[in-house]
Amino acid sequence: MNHVRRVVDPPPATVFTVLRDRRWGWSAAEVPALAERLGWRIVGRYDGGTAFASPPAEPTVKHRVAAARDQVHYVDIMLTVRVPERTERTEAQLDAAFADLVAEAVGVLGPVGGSTGGPVPSRRWRLPYGTVVVTRTSWTVSATWSPPDRRWAAAAEAGGYPPGGWADFAARLRDDLRGLDGVVLLRHGSRIVQLASSYGVLHAEVVADHAAGPEAERLSTAQQDALLGLGWRAPQPPTDPNWTCPPLRHPTPADVDAMTARLTATLRDVLAVERPGHLLVESWGEEPDEPLDLAVCR
């Protein structure tokens, strides 16, 4: 007997489509219009704007719109009805429901942008109009929708997509590495190459697969061998959970050239980024909400 029942009013694919396309100001005054768009009925409202809403066909399901001072902080959406008890069978059924709902989300929202494992696994998508996290707890599978990450939005608005081909990208990246003071993330779907430099020390990492990540998103044996061949060191948890290379301390021009070649080959040849324009570049320095002025994005 399956104790995990999906909420189908509206279907999850419809919910994900609204989360992808809905453009709004995240104010409590807009919540009734959002509820109407999702076919929900508001069944409770509190000072500050927090509201609970239910599908007419499933009044026991309560979605939460958390707000304070008339500003919405997040929307918790139940994708499955809470299981009546916690057993090995319900754990396995929740695992299956989580996998199915993540697959549906990928079909609407695109590649997963981040994941966590452990007893409460989750998958995250950063979208232009909000961040969506699908989580599997011991009792249910839910989606949390929150305002867009300001660094992501700022990077996108600043033109955070590299122009030109790989030779042009490498030349621009070399310029950035010479004077980098801050953090840079080069994103391609769930893949991330991250750089950080301060006080003359440059670090570079390839974010590793999470043990609970979807099989299709994990690095193949050939990709892992290619990373080793480029001089990356395999993850050594818990101290080094990602692929790393020796930090460059006050790097020379030759050091920067070698790092540029390694990073370009990693993105192009190992992670199969077809062209630089498919990357999203996030960056920040002392001001976490302000992207750096990077040559790769000009």
Side-chain angles (χ1 to χ4, degrees), residues 46-63:
Y46 302 90
D47 290 343
T50 292
F52 289 88
S54 297
E58 301 196 66
T60 60
V61 171
K62 299 283 192 303
H63 307 298

Side-chain angles (χ1 to χ4, degrees), residues 217-277:
E217 295 181 12
R218 298 179 189 177
L219 292 170
S220 67
T221 300
Q223 286 175 305
Q224 294 180 50
D225 289 343
L227 288 175
L228 292 171
L230 287 171
W232 296 101
R233 189 179 75 157
Q236 307 287 326
T239 55
D240 291 319
N242 296 322
W243 291 81
T244 59
C245 59
L248 300 181
R249 303 181 185 278
H250 303 288
T252 65
D255 290 334
V256 172
D257 288 347
M259 179 65 79
T260 300
R262 175 186 288 133
L263 294 170
T264 302
T266 297
L267 293 165
R268 180 191 60 213
D269 303 332
V270 182
L271 303 184
V273 181
E274 185 176 347
R275 51 181 175 269

Side-chain angles (χ1 to χ4, degrees), residues 84-268:
E85 58 182 350
R86 186 178 175 186
T87 64
E88 288 186 7
R89 175 175 292 182
T90 60
E91 292 282 325
Q93 291 172 352
L94 281 167
D95 285 340
F98 176 65
D100 289 345
L101 287 161
V102 166
E104 285 195 42
V106 168
V108 176
L109 306 178
V112 172
S115 64
T116 64
V120 186
S122 69
R123 303 290 180 265
R124 184 186 68 234
W125 292 260
R126 282 193 175 98
L127 307 172
Y129 308 136
T131 296
V132 178
V133 179
V134 174
T135 304
R136 177 261 204 232
T137 70
S138 299
W139 303 98
T140 187
V141 180
S142 64
T144 300
W145 188 30
S146 57
D149 183 291
R150 287 184 290 177
R151 288 196 299 258
W152 194 101
E157 287 196 16
Y161 297 88
W166 285 110
D168 179 65
F169 173 83
R172 293 168 183 266
L173 179 62
R174 185 180 297 110
D175 288 343
D176 287 330
L177 293 180
R178 285 173 181 157
L180 183 63
D181 185 14
V183 178
V184 177
L185 305 184
L186 303 172
R187 292 183 176 273
H188 183 248
S190 61
R191 293 280 168 231
I192 303 173
V193 174
Q194 55 191 25
L195 313 169
S197 181
S198 63
Y199 300 103
V201 182
L202 174 63
H203 298 266
E205 297 183 350
V206 178
V207 175
D209 298 320
H210 197 284
E215 186 69 33
E217 295 181 12
R218 298 179 189 177
L219 292 170
S220 67
T221 300
Q223 286 175 305
Q224 294 180 50
D225 289 343
L227 288 175
L228 292 171
L230 287 171
W232 296 101
R233 189 179 75 157
Q236 307 287 326
T239 55
D240 291 319
N242 296 322
W243 291 81
T244 59
C245 59
L248 300 181
R249 303 181 185 278
H250 303 288
T252 65
D255 290 334
V256 172
D257 288 347
M259 179 65 79
T260 300
R262 175 186 288 133
L263 294 170
T264 302
T266 297
L267 293 165
R268 180 191 60 213

